[in-house]
Amino acid sequence: MELGDFRAEFDDALARNECLSFFCSCEIAYSGRAEAHLAQGDRMIFIKNDNTLLIHQPVGSAPINYMKAGGHITLKPVSGNGQKYLHLKCVTADLKEYLDVQIFRVHTFMHHKLEDGAKQELAGNERDMSDMLKENPHLISDDFKPLSREEHTKFGFIDVFGHDKKGNLVIVECKRYTAGLDAVTQLRRYVEKIEELKGVKNVKGILAAPTISPNAKEMLEKWGFSFKAVEPPMRLDRFNKSQKSLVDW
Amino acid sequence: MELGDFRAEFDDALARNECLSFFCSCEIAYSGRAEAHLAQGDRMIFIKNDNTLLIHQPVGSAPINYMKAGGHITLKPVSGNGQKYLHLKCVTADLKEYLDVQIFRVHTFMHHKLEDGAKQELAGNERDMSDMLKENPHLISDDFKPLSREEHTKFGFIDVFGHDKKGNLVIVECKRYTAGLDAVTQLRRYVEKIEELKGVKNVKGILAAPTISPNAKEMLEKWGFSFKAVEPPMRLDRFNKSQKSLVDW
DNA sequence: TACTACATCTCGCAT
DNA sequence: ATGCGAGGTGTAGTA
């Protein structure tokens, strides 16, 4: 696609607040929270309604460059060093971040006004897991009595909080995947804070997750906490519902 | 765009391992690490060389749905309930994750073979910050003598490790942004492990970051550690280099 | 492969 | 706005 034509259509689409996407050959520089440079190559570039700008290489999940919503976007022709190219620029409102793209060739370009008010519903996150543990305390232990869930304190928030028959306070930290060292330190922080706050010493810490890493287990036991193997809820759902069709959710 | 035409062109482009991007009206279901559903609306869909699949709503940085590289992608026509649509499906090789997209309308479509072997150079990450502190130990204190950087141990890795003139071991944990509770617990874990490993008690913990949150500071001081205000390196670079042009990196 | 921590993390929620 | 933690986190580095 000829660069002049591209520029005219780009500006027009941008002015109408459409979404834009194009494949191009470009070179990229970013300056802001870090400094980055990417040599010339083919990429796909997206610009959204809110001026979010995403640049993707032909492989990988994460964008190689991006600017968050609200940036100021411009596209200017440049002639220099015997070559012509377009300079796509995006600057944040506070002028702290810059993205500069030298566009040498545009392979294909499309733009359209997109309408979408839908929000994704999601099941099987950590919140659902703590719900499950509060509703099914036997998954933790026979004498666990949950009192609250997602208790917010100024030093963090506790997934499930309760007590046992022996009068111990019990704090449960749950993770959907293999619990690591960070999960243990997090649990420890909560336990110590509750002990301090309530002025007691009989606070039990329980880490509930499908699995735990060896080092984390070692540290957990050293601190007198315990691990309880618990599957995250949506895995159980799928097992129980035996292959219901995915399209009709 | 007519759905039949789209399908033919889609299959052809996919077979040739091109990158594909299109705007469409669709409804989405995901099942795998969680269960998700997104009602009908306009989105942009990307498919990369490695079968990475990304779906973006018209606003926001993160994809609303995605499948990582290596999935098996198919597009089939469906007639049912008096309506016709296309069923875009992506399944991981281990069959543990499914993405199902009902495509009701395709607004625009493009595809092209992208060639890109470039890798991004990036400066100003945490590694650069620990480098800076090792090279300029006075940023920590006048008597800090660094010994190693990014020391890997089985219980985590320490950003900068050294000692002072009084013979204390010194562990520096650095963060590029405001240090929070997690940074303090991380530092504490390293300090305690080193004390245990070396059988000593004189290990000083220092948290180096541009700022620290109030709760984190409270916890830091309670544990006898200290905070040192340090700017991440690339901010200094920009200040020192006084506005060098961004395009010529 | 598993484990660990960073990320220009992003996002949501609560203060 | 800031603080805090989850995320279908993704990604890199290492044992």
Side-chain angles (χ1 to χ4, degrees):
Chain A
M1 186 174 184
E2 203 276 313
L3 291 182
D5 295 342
F6 171 72
R7 189 192 161 211
E9 201 171 326
F10 180 100
D11 284 343
D12 197 50
L14 200 66
R16 280 189 282 187
N17 206 38
E18 297 184 343
C19 285
L20 295 77
S21 175
F22 55 96
F23 296 142
C24 68
S25 177
C26 63
E27 183 179 342
I28 304 165
Y30 164 79
S31 176
R33 285 176 284 181
E35 307 281 331
H37 176 252
L38 183 60
Q40 191 168 350
D42 289 333
R43 280 119 212 179
M44 13 190 185
I45 301 185
F46 287 166
I47 297 172
K48 296 199 186 190
N49 285 352
D50 58 2
N51 278 14
T52 296
L53 194 160
L54 301 170
I55 303 180
H56 280 269
Q57 289 186 301
V59 295
S61 299
I64 191 65
N65 283 109
Y66 60 92
M67 292 287 279
K68 290 201 285 194
H72 181 65
I73 296 174
T74 53
L75 183 68
K76 301 280 181 213
V78 175
S79 300
N81 299 332
Q83 64 179 347
K84 281 165 178 274
Y85 60 88
L86 294 174
H87 180 193
L88 173 64
K89 194 182 185 78
C90 182
V91 186
T92 54
D94 60 10
L95 305 179
K96 285 185 179 168
E97 293 182 77
Y98 297 81
L99 186 70
D100 291 277
V101 185
Q102 291 172 279
I103 300 174
F104 301 105
R105 252 182 80 174
V106 175
H107 304 304
T108 57
F109 174 38
M110 66 181 190
H111 53 91
H112 196 271
K113 186 99 187 86
L114 298 191
E115 312 273 1
D116 184 8
K119 288 212 189 319
Q120 181 152 252
E121 304 159 63
L122 197 141
N125 52 16
E126 196 181 271
R127 189 195 155 106
D128 289 334
M129 188 167 173
S130 61
D131 273 339
M132 178 184 74
L133 294 177
K134 184 167 189 300
E135 297 306 313
N136 306 282
H138 66 276
L139 291 171
I140 296 299
S141 79
D142 289 338
D143 68 344
F144 176 54
K145 304 289 176 195
L147 292 169
S148 66
R149 194 187 52 75
E150 308 248 313
E151 176 121 346
H152 275 260
T153 66
K154 75 162 192 174
F155 41 87
F157 84 47
I158 292 165
D159 290 335
V160 189
F161 179 72
H163 63 87
D164 63 19
K165 281 176 181 160
K166 293 185 281 298
N168 300 305
L169 294 177
V170 177
I171 292 171
V172 180
E173 170 64 29
C174 54
K175 293 289 167 196
R176 300 175 54 218
Y177 304 109
T178 303
L181 294 169
D182 56 338
V184 180
T185 53
Q186 202 175 335
L187 175 62
R188 180 183 171 194
R189 171 150 52 91
Y190 298 155
V191 169
E192 288 179 348
K193 264 295 178 181
I194 289 291
E195 285 180 341
E196 186 186 316
L197 214 68
K198 309 269 184 186
V200 296
K201 280 289 166 192
N202 55 338
V203 179
K204 290 176 62 178
I206 296 176
L207 188 51
T211 50
I212 185 169
S213 74
N215 288 333
K217 188 152 198 286
E218 190 183 320
M219 177 174 263
L220 188 81
E221 287 166 354
K222 183 186 151 191
W223 284 97
F225 305 137
S226 55
F227 170 71
K228 181 66 186 174
V230 177
E231 289 297 313
M234 114 278 167
R235 298 192 190 180
L236 299 172
D237 280 357
R238 251 215 292 180
F239 185 73
N240 294 336
K241 284 174 189 165
S242 66
Q243 303 282 22
K244 85 163 182 166
S245 169
L246 298 169
V247 174
D248 46 51
W249 198 65
Chain B
M1 187 174 185
E2 203 275 315
L3 291 182
D5 296 340
F6 171 72
R7 189 193 162 212
E9 202 171 326
F10 180 101
D11 283 343
D12 197 49
L14 200 66
R16 280 188 282 185
N17 205 39
E18 298 184 342
C19 284
L20 294 78
S21 174
F22 54 97
F23 296 142
C24 68
S25 178
C26 63
E27 184 179 339
I28 305 165
Y30 163 80
S31 176
R33 285 176 286 182
E35 307 281 331
H37 177 252
L38 183 60
Q40 191 170 350
D42 290 333
R43 280 117 212 181
M44 10 190 186
I45 301 185
F46 286 167
I47 297 172
K48 297 199 186 189
N49 285 352
D50 57 1
N51 277 14
T52 296
L53 194 160
L54 301 170
I55 303 180
H56 280 268
Q57 289 186 299
V59 294
S61 299
I64 191 65
N65 282 109
Y66 59 91
M67 292 288 278
K68 290 203 283 193
H72 181 66
I73 296 174
T74 53
L75 183 68
K76 300 280 181 213
V78 175
S79 299
N81 300 330
Q83 65 178 346
K84 282 169 179 274
Y85 61 87
L86 294 175
H87 180 192
L88 173 64
K89 194 181 184 79
C90 182
V91 187
T92 53
D94 60 11
L95 305 178
K96 285 184 178 168
E97 294 182 80
Y98 296 80
L99 186 70
D100 291 277
V101 185
Q102 291 172 279
I103 299 173
F104 302 105
R105 250 182 81 175
V106 175
H107 304 305
T108 56
F109 175 38
M110 65 181 190
H111 53 91
H112 195 270
K113 187 97 187 88
L114 298 192
E115 312 274 1
D116 184 9
K119 289 214 187 318
Q120 182 152 249
E121 303 159 64
L122 197 142
N125 52 16
E126 198 181 88
R127 190 194 155 109
D128 291 333
M129 188 168 173
S130 62
D131 273 338
M132 179 184 73
L133 294 177
K134 185 166 189 298
E135 297 306 313
N136 306 281
H138 65 277
L139 291 171
I140 295 300
S141 79
D142 289 336
D143 68 345
F144 175 52
K145 304 289 174 195
L147 293 169
S148 67
R149 194 187 52 75
E150 307 247 312
E151 176 123 346
H152 278 257
T153 67
K154 75 163 194 173
F155 42 85
F157 75 63
I158 293 165
D159 290 335
V160 189
F161 178 72
H163 62 87
D164 62 18
K165 281 176 183 163
K166 293 186 282 297
N168 298 304
L169 294 177
V170 177
I171 291 172
V172 180
E173 170 65 28
C174 54
K175 292 290 167 195
R176 299 175 54 218
Y177 304 111
T178 303
L181 294 169
D182 55 339
V184 180
T185 52
Q186 204 175 332
L187 175 62
R188 181 184 170 194
R189 169 154 48 95
Y190 299 154
V191 169
E192 289 180 346
K193 264 295 179 181
I194 289 292
E195 285 180 342
E196 186 186 317
L197 214 69
K198 308 271 183 183
V200 295
K201 278 291 168 193
N202 55 337
V203 179
K204 291 177 62 178
I206 296 176
L207 187 51
T211 50
I212 185 168
S213 75
N215 287 336
K217 188 154 199 286
E218 190 184 320
M219 177 175 262
L220 189 80
E221 287 166 355
K222 183 185 152 192
W223 284 97
F225 306 137
S226 55
F227 170 71
K228 180 68 186 176
V230 177
E231 290 298 314
M234 114 278 167
R235 297 193 190 180
L236 298 173
D237 280 357
R238 250 215 294 180
F239 185 73
N240 294 336
K241 285 175 190 165
S242 66
Q243 303 281 21
K244 89 163 181 166
S245 170
L246 298 169
V247 173
D248 46 50
W249 198 63

